[in-house]
């Protein structure tokens, strides 16, 4: 039958196929017109291969949805689908695209899928755990891999029934010795196995993949090609594949990091960059003969989530996980088709037994290798044990690299049919071995881990889970209680809702474990539940579990600080890495002294800058008094002209040309007389310059370093000339020639005169680098302190036992205070840098608040999305400009600090009054500003330096001592209160505000940790200001509001640490006010317009339940009326509407007026001011920071 005529819309129909399918010719023609002719319903020449790609992705997604809760490996199903397609295509000619897929280029296969697998695996690795276990990974990936290849190749050569040669058996052993880094870890990733083991499995897989590629290519080339210099070939290959690849990967990571650092908040560009650079770097490395696998490993290891913009980590991980999943889908679909197309004629009964033999052999050999290496592994890194070894053996999945190398081997030209059969059988056995590891190993490795006890849920973990479940249940109960008040949900079936929402305990417990978790006793005094006394070992286990959870919380805090812009990229990476490095050190908590090792800069830069600054200082300040002699005065004017320096530099540049020519032998021999005359000429110019400077500067000439250097150049030049002329008529000898050469090299000293103009730039660069290191140092210390404060609020939820709670609290408090002290010392030593960092963080915080406000307005429909996008661009521009802020900013003066005080609020009259009354006080290191229990004499605004607050107990906030002692015996949470109090204050902090307001004794002693300068306002002057500035809002009220806000923020963070209360308080700032509840006076709270009521000072009692509450605390919303039970009780009211906030302000100000009227008559008898050495600052409040050294000089003069 002849082929049908075809037009542009027709398809090729092979000869011998009946297109009519049994119908008559008329029907056939009608069908042809309908399909391919006039109507164009079925279009030919469609890209079926592309359709298959997307269909496979859709099938993968479907299987992931359907088989998610089963143990059936998705890739096995995909492999069998490919196998079916390949077998069907083998018996029919209607699927030509299948044959094209079966002949896929191995190089294309490698470059298409390998970058995704390698980059994802290395990017997800924990760098700090990998760094410690590096030698274990290296032992497994190099000697272990070579042993595995040798054993497996020898075993294959001995037992195979296909008469393979030794070279074929070795290639087969190399191919089957590699493991897949993604598939090997996937089965044990989320079952509670230690990170150390999972990183060891992944690290070994990554590096033996790299070793496999090198050894496979090298061995294959040596077998199939003739090489004259085998040793040289191996040496060159190792240099390129290993050392050059590492260097290329390292440089690539630096390039990508630099690029990412200059992309500002554009997630799309960052994802595209990570995706494209992974492929580009792999391609370039392979193109230049290096190992793309090793280069990508270096790139992925040196990049992490913090390398990208804040908030990009979650999306980035999901993006690469998606690519990895799709890559594996395509790999196994293609390999199913390839194996079906190429190996189907060779499949027989004997082949099945051979497949089982190969599978058992590769697991047996791997176990033997790891057993042999275990003595070495146990002495490296984190150690090693037989349980880890068993998991390591059984988790070795054969995947991408095994299939790719088998495909590459099968695609090489075959000389004979026997050679083709060998390659085909290798492909068949490698594909089935990969399939069996997925079917058997991946589905049973979890059971193995559980059986070996490597993911046992210990008692501390069960306790933590028990506490978490209890907390969730409590929140459920609270949520149901609040929802029942909703008028729209009043008729819901609450019984069914509560039954359907019951959270079950995820771990199966027996009777003994339930008893262990619920062990409690009743206190005989108060009938409260107290913890059962556990054994020391149980306490130690709980302590260790709490430590690990706190480290996780610290990492989360550092990540959160980075996302909010409070930590820069380098500081966040350092802190996260430092926290991760403590995971394996049992009982060790992260402390500031060891964190300091990450920021300690080398003293070489500082020393070099000091030395160069000395030279530049003498260059810039070469000014002396002009002589009276006219000629000398003329010389002075000439020397200190800028043109004189430029001419001197030009002379040096011109002199460098003959100096260079002197070292060119051919030029020197031909133009020796001319070069000699040039030397004389320039030497005379240098002498003339020196003489002119000496005449102008007189005896001070010799004191300047550059002048001393000029004299050395002149002396060396004169000796050079003398030696040349002295030896001119003598017979040359070796000593003479060497002497002439030495002094010829001495002419190079003249070139160093060029550094005279470049040194200021060099000093600027050094200064910038030093400032960067110091900023990095402060960022780390500040981030560490913030992290300690964040995790301190979580101790109660994590500790699980009172003893553990107390011990961890002490450790964290000590670490925090040491870090605070370190911050204060940095502020003392580098005030300009610290001020710049604080300014940058303040601007960042305000911009974050603006961003959150904009998000709220867009989500609420207040602002249109297009308008919101424009506002968002404006905020992003401001954030981008943060990088342009100067690295150093002068610290604020006392006058500027007064303008920044919140309760003055740039009020001109109040600031002028305070300036007239305030005094500047100076204290030395160790001076006591006030003692604990002493009546307040005023407030101190710290202008410079650092002070230490130390008290026998924590601040009481107006709570009576007896009430505090009673609360210490029985607290709400069952933990003992802190026995002592320590804190550090630096520039800008105010001491004594609350005590002056309440007329209470100081609850802590104040001592100086450095030389300190404070702006002191006496209590008499402060009370006078209260009486003078009574107009709403009064000065006294504003101080109370400032204190209340500070206490409220701390209280919110301690009680609800997972919410951003800084932003919420900013949003509600205009709706907050302070209410004074007099003793034995009732006050109604929580009306329809109140959001929250915080007790910030004193104590109150619930009028309905009789429950007493002590400051600071958030009063529960079930409390609707309270009675003051202390002399000074203050409530901070946060209202939900603007009108509510304005409604009660008059009452508050009347209370302040009442206090002001009584004050003058009583304070004269209560307080007597102790005279101190003070100086008025009415005219000099702009005095800035004075160092302790200058302060000592001042005291000595007085």
């Amino acid at each position: 039958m002849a082929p049908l005529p075809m037009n542009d819309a027709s398809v090729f129909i092979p000869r011998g196929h009946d297109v009519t399918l049994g119908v008559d010719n008329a029907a056939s023609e009608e069908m042809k017109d309908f399909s391919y002719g006039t109507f164009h319903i079925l279009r030919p020449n469609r890209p079926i291969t592309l359709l298959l790609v997307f269909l496979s992705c859709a099938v993968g997604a479907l299987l992931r949805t359907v088989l998610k809760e089963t143990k059936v490996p998705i890739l096995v199903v995909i492999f069998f689908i490919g196998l079916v397609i390949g077998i069907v295509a083998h018996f029919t000619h209607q699927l030509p695209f299948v044959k094209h897929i079966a002949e896929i280029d191995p190089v294309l296969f490698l470059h298409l899928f390998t970058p995704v697998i390698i980059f994802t695996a290395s990017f997800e690795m924990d760098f700090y755990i990998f760094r410690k276990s590096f030698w274990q990974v290296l032992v497994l990936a190099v000697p272990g891999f070579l042993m595995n290849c040798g054993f497996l190749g020898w075993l294959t050569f001995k037992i195979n029934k296909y008469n393979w040669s030794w070279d074929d058996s070795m290639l087969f052993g190399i191919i089957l010795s590699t493991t897949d880094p993604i598939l090997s870890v996937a089965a044990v990733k989320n079952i509670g196995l230690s990170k150390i083991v999972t990183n060891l499995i992944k690290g070994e897989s990554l590096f033996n993949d790299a070793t496999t590629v090198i050894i496979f290519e090298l061995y294959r080339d040596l077998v199939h090609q003739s090489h004259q210099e085998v040793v040289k070939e191996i040496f060159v290959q190792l240099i390129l594949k290993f050392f050059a690849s590492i260097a290329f990967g390292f440089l690539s990571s630096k390039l990508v990091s630099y690029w990412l650092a200059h992309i500002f908040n554009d997630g799309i560009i960052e994802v595209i960059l990570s995706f494209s650079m992974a492929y580009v770097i792999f391609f370039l490395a392979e193109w230049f003969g290096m190992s793309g696998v090793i280069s990508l490993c270096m790139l992925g290891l040196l990049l992490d989530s913090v390398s990208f913009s804040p908030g990009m980590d979650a999306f980035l991980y999901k993006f690469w996980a998606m690519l990895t999943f799709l890559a594996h889908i395509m790999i196994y679909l293609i390999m199913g088709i390839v194996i079906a197309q190429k190996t189907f004629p060779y499949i027989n009964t004997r082949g099945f037994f051979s497949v089982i033999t190969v599978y058992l052999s590769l697991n047996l050999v791997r176990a033997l290798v790891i057993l042999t290496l275990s003595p070495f592994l146990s002495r490296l890194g984190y150690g090693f044990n037989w349980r880890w070894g068993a998991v390591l053996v059984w988790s070795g999945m054969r995947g991408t690299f095994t299939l790719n190398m088998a495909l590459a081997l099968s695609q090489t030209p075959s000389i004979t049919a026997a050679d083709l059969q060998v390659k085909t059988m290798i492909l068949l056995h490698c594909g089935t071995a990969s399939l069996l590891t997925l079917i058997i190993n991946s589905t049973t490795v979890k059971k193995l881990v559980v059986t070996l006890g490597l993911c046992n849920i210990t008692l501390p973990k069960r306790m933590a889970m028990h506490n978490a479940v209890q907390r969730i249940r409590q929140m459920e109960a609270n949520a149901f209680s609040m929802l029942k008040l909703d008028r729209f949900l009043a008729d819901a079936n609450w019984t069914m809702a509560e039954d359907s929402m019951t959270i079950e305990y995820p771990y199966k417990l027996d009777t003994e474990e339930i008893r262990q978790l619920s062990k409690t006793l009743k206190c005989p005094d108060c009938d409260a539940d107290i913890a059962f006394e556990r054994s020391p070992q149980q306490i130690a286990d709980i302590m260790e579990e709490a430590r690990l959870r706190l480290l996780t919380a610290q990492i989360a805090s550092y990540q959160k600080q980075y996302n909010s812009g409070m930590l820069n990229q380098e500081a966040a990476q350092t802190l996260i890495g430092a926290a991760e490095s403590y995971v394996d050190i049992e009982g060790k908590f992260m402390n500031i002294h060891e964190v300091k090792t990450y920021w300690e800069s080398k003293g070489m830069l500082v020393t070099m800058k000091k030395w160069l600054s000395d030279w530049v200082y003498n260059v810039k300040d070469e000014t002396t008094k002009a002589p009276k002699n006219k000629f000398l005065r003329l010389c002075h004017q000439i020397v200190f002209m800028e043109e004189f320096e430029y001419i001197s530099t030009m002379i040096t540049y011109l002199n460098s040309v003959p100096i260079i020519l002197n070292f060119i032998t051919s030029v020197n021999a031909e133009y020796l007389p001319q070069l000699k005359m040039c030397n004389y000429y320039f030497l005379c110019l240098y002498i003339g310059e020196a003489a002119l400077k000496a005449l102008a500067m007189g005896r001070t000439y010799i004191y300047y370093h550059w002048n001393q250097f000029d004299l050395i150049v002149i002396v060396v030049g004169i000796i050079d000339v003398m030696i040349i002329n002295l030896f001119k008529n003598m017979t040359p000898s070796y000593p003479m020639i060497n002497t002439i050469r030495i002094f010829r090299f001495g002419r190079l000293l003249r070139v160093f005169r060029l550094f005279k103009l470049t040194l200021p730039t060099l000093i600027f660069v050094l200064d910038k680098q030093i400032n960067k290191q110091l900023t990095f140092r402060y960022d780390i210390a500040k981030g560490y302190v913030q992290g300690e404060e964040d995790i301190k609020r979580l101790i109660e939820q994590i500790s699980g036992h009172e003893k553990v709670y107390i011990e961890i609290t002490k450790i964290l408090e000590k670490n925090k205070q040491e870090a605070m002290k370190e911050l204060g010392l940095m502020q003392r030593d580098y005030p300009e840098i610290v001020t710049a960092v604080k300014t940058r963080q303040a601007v960042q915080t305000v911009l974050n608040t603006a961003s959150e406000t904009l998000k709220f307005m867009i989500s609420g429909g207040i602002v249109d999305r297009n308008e919101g996008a424009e506002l968002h661009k404006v905020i992003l521009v401001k954030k981008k400009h943060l990088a342009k802020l100067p690295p150093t900013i002068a610290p604020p003066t006392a006058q500027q600090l007064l303008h920044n005080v919140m309760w003055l609020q740039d009020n001109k009259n109040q600031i002028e009054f305070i300036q007239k009354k305030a005094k500047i006080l100076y204290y030395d290191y160790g001076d006591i500003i006030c003692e604990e229990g002493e009546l307040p004499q005023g407030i101190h605004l710290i202008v410079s330096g650092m002070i230490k607050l130390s008290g026998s107990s924590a601040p009481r906030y107006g709570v009576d001592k007896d009430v505090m002692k009673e609360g210490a015996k029985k607290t709400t949470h069952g933990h003992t209160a802190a026995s002592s109090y320590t804190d550090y204050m630096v520039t800008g902090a105010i001491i004594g505000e609350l005590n002056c307001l309440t007329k209470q004794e100081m609850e802590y002693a104040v001592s100086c940790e450095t030389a300190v300068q404070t702006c002191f306002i006496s209590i008499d002057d402060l009370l006078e200001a209260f009486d003078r500035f009574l107009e709403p809002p009064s000065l006294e009220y504003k101080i109370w509001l400032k204190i209340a806000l500070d206490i409220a923020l701390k209280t919110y963070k301690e009680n609800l640490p997972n919410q951003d209360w800084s932003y919420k308080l900013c949003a509600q700032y205009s709706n907050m006010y302070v209410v004074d509840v007099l003793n034995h006076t009732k006050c109604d709270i929580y009306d329809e317009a109140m959001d929250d009521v915080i007790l910030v000072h004193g104590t109150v009692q619930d009028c309905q339940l009789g429950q007493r509450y002590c400051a600071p605390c958030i009063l529960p919303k079930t409390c609707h009326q309270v009675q003051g039970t202390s002399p000074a009780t203050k409530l901070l009211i946060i209202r939900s509407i603007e009108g509510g906030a304005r409604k009660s302000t008059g009452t508050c100000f009347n209370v302040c007026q009442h206090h002001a009227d009584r004050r003058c008559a009583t304070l004269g008898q209560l307080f007597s001011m102790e005279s101190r050495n003070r100086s008025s600052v009415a005219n000099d409040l702009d005095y800035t920071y004075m160092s302790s050294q200058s302060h000592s000089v001042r005291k000595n003069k007085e």
Side-chain angles (χ1 to χ4, degrees), residues 20 23-34:
T20 62
V23 298
D24 58 13
N25 292 334
S28 175
E29 290 297 325
E30 184 180 350
M31 181 182 295
K32 189 181 77 170
D33 290 340
F34 185 76

Side-chain angles (χ1 to χ4, degrees), residues 178 225 238 270 272 283 337 405 503 604 641 659 698 711 808 830 867 873 920 1112 1189 1194:
T178 185
Q225 301 176 16
L238 289 179
E270 293 181 24
I272 293 173
F283 183 89
I337 293 174
M405 287 185 291
I503 301 296
M604 184 179 66
M641 291 173 61
I659 290 174
L711 287 178
I808 291 179
Y830 313 104
E867 298 169 350
K873 288 180 183 178
I920 291 291
Q1189 182 178 2
R1194 178 187 178 98

Side-chain angles (χ1 to χ4, degrees), residues 36-55:
Y36 306 120
T38 307
F39 299 102
H40 302 283
I41 301 299
L42 300 177
R43 294 185 178 274
N45 298 331
R46 297 297 93 186
I48 305 299
T49 305
L50 188 62
L51 175 63
L52 182 64
V53 169
F54 290 108
L55 279 176

Side-chain angles (χ1 to χ4, degrees), residues 128 165 236 280 288 302 508 567 579 591 613 642 687 695 770 807 844 897 924 945 954 1020 1040 1046 1067:
Y128 290 89
S165 67
V236 171
V280 169
F288 289 108
L302 295 177
K508 294 181 180 179
L567 271 181
N591 61 75
S613 297
E642 290 186 3
I687 294 173
L695 289 173
I770 291 170
E807 184 65 24
Q844 181 69 57
L897 288 173
D924 279 330
D1020 289 334
W1040 268 117
D1046 184 43

Side-chain angles (χ1 to χ4, degrees), residues 132 136 196 200 374 377-385 388:
K132 185 166 182 179
Q136 291 176 305
I196 299 171
L200 192 61
S374 57
L377 296 173
S378 61
R379 289 169 173 79
L380 298 172
Y382 294 97
F384 198 75
N385 57 61
W388 289 12

Side-chain angles (χ1 to χ4, degrees), residues 1000-1173:
Q1000 297 291 325
E1001 299 173 346
M1002 298 295 292
E1003 299 176 0
Y1004 43 76
V1006 182
S1007 59
C1008 299
E1009 289 291 306
T1010 64
V1012 175
Q1013 176 186 353
T1014 69
C1015 177
F1016 176 74
I1017 307 168
S1018 69
I1019 192 169
D1020 289 334
D1021 295 331
L1022 187 64
L1023 296 179
E1024 182 181 349
F1026 289 167
D1027 294 336
R1028 183 168 180 174
F1029 301 105
L1030 294 173
E1031 64 278 3
S1034 69
L1035 181 60
E1036 180 182 14
Y1037 171 77
K1038 289 192 292 183
I1039 297 178
W1040 268 117
L1041 181 60
K1042 179 258 183 184
I1043 294 172
L1045 290 173
D1046 184 43
I1047 296 173
L1049 184 58
K1050 292 178 181 178
T1051 305
Y1052 274 128
K1053 288 182 176 181
E1054 289 175 359
N1055 290 274
L1056 299 168
N1058 298 323
Q1059 301 184 33
D1060 187 6
W1061 288 105
S1062 299
Y1063 169 74
K1064 292 186 178 182
L1065 289 182
C1066 289
Q1068 294 287 344
Y1069 181 73
S1070 59
N1071 294 334
M1072 294 185 290
Y1073 60 94
V1074 178
V1075 169
D1076 187 0
V1077 182
L1078 300 179
N1079 198 7
H1080 305 299
T1081 302
K1082 295 181 180 180
C1083 177
D1084 293 331
I1085 59 173
Y1086 284 122
D1087 57 20
E1088 67 281 356
M1090 290 187 183
D1091 277 347
D1092 285 301
V1093 178
I1094 303 97
L1095 176 61
V1096 296
H1097 193 269
T1099 57
V1100 296
Q1101 187 174 21
D1102 188 340
C1103 295
Q1104 182 178 1
L1105 303 177
Q1107 174 71 39
R1108 180 163 55 190
Y1109 299 98
C1110 301
C1113 76
I1114 305 171
L1115 295 180
K1117 294 189 177 182
T1118 55
C1119 180
H1120 298 288
Q1121 188 181 60
V1122 294
Q1123 177 177 324
T1125 56
S1126 63
T1129 301
K1130 300 289 182 178
L1131 300 177
L1132 179 67
I1133 309 296
I1134 302 178
R1135 302 190 75 88
S1136 56
I1137 56 174
E1138 190 70 22
R1142 298 285 180 261
K1143 182 178 178 181
S1144 301
T1145 51
T1147 305
C1148 185
F1149 300 143
N1150 289 336
V1151 173
C1152 296
Q1153 177 67 54
H1154 170 71
H1155 282 244
D1157 293 338
R1158 298 180 54 194
R1159 188 178 299 111
C1160 296
T1162 57
L1163 285 179
Q1165 301 174 2
L1166 291 175
F1167 300 100
S1168 59
M1169 296 295 292
E1170 179 181 349
S1171 61
R1172 293 181 181 268
N1173 183 20

